[in-house]
Amino acid sequence: MRGVLTGLFLLVAGPALANVEGSEYSFGLWAGGAATTATGAFSHCYATLSYTGGEQIWVNITGPDVLQLVFSFPGRTFTAGQEIDATLMMESGAPTPGKAFAMDDKLIAFTMSPPNDAHSFLSQGRWLRIMG
């Protein structure tokens, strides 16, 4: 599973991707859109938020049953493929434990499935914390 998710992210981060014309948007501090592969096939939809301290969060929908939260923290380095016991927390509701994995030395990903459950969890509040 981790290899599949890493492969999906490499598609997301790779230079062969193109934004779907007209899909880009911004709303407050969020920006996003949809992307295709070099062959024109759907790759993913995304929303990203950058903080003034350099932290970034991406919310990717990479398939019909996969929501992926990707985090970048300045000054933190990881080992690609590293698994991290992690817990996502909002300011209310029950925490969601799981495994995060390092996509490369700068990014960690936490996958939630199915997206409806992920949406219910992420709609509990405004403050998101990952601990691990």
Side-chain angles (χ1 to χ4, degrees), residues 114-126:
N116 287 343
D117 291 349
H119 181 267
S120 294
F121 172 78
L122 295 170
S123 297
Q124 295 179 98
R126 296 174 17 168

Side-chain angles (χ1 to χ4, degrees), residues 9 56-58 60 68-72 103 107-110:
F9 181 76
Q56 289 184 283
I57 297 174
W58 292 265
N60 295 337
Q68 186 179 60
L69 297 171
V70 180
F71 300 88
S72 173
M103 302 174 107
L107 302 171
I108 59 169
F110 191 99

Side-chain angles (χ1 to χ4, degrees), residues 88-96 120-127:
L88 286 178
M89 297 174 63
M90 303 296 286
E91 70 267 20
S92 63
T96 298
S120 294
F121 172 78
L122 295 170
S123 297
Q124 295 179 98
R126 296 174 17 168
W127 302 96

Side-chain angles (χ1 to χ4, degrees), residues 5-87:
L5 293 174
T6 300
L8 287 171
F9 181 76
L10 292 175
L11 287 175
V12 170
L17 291 179
N19 279 333
V20 174
E21 187 175 331
S23 72
E24 298 91 359
Y25 71 90
S26 63
F27 181 77
L29 299 174
W30 287 91
T36 60
T37 65
T39 63
F42 172 78
S43 171
H44 66 285
C45 291
Y46 65 93
T48 186
L49 176 65
S50 297
Y51 293 90
T52 57
E55 300 88 354
Q56 289 184 283
I57 297 174
W58 292 265
V59 180
N60 295 337
I61 301 290
T62 59
D65 291 323
V66 180
L67 184 142
Q68 186 179 60
L69 297 171
V70 180
F71 300 88
S72 173
F73 304 101
R76 295 288 315 238
T77 57
F78 305 97
T79 302
Q82 173 185 2
E83 282 191 354
I84 303 161
D85 289 322
T87 301

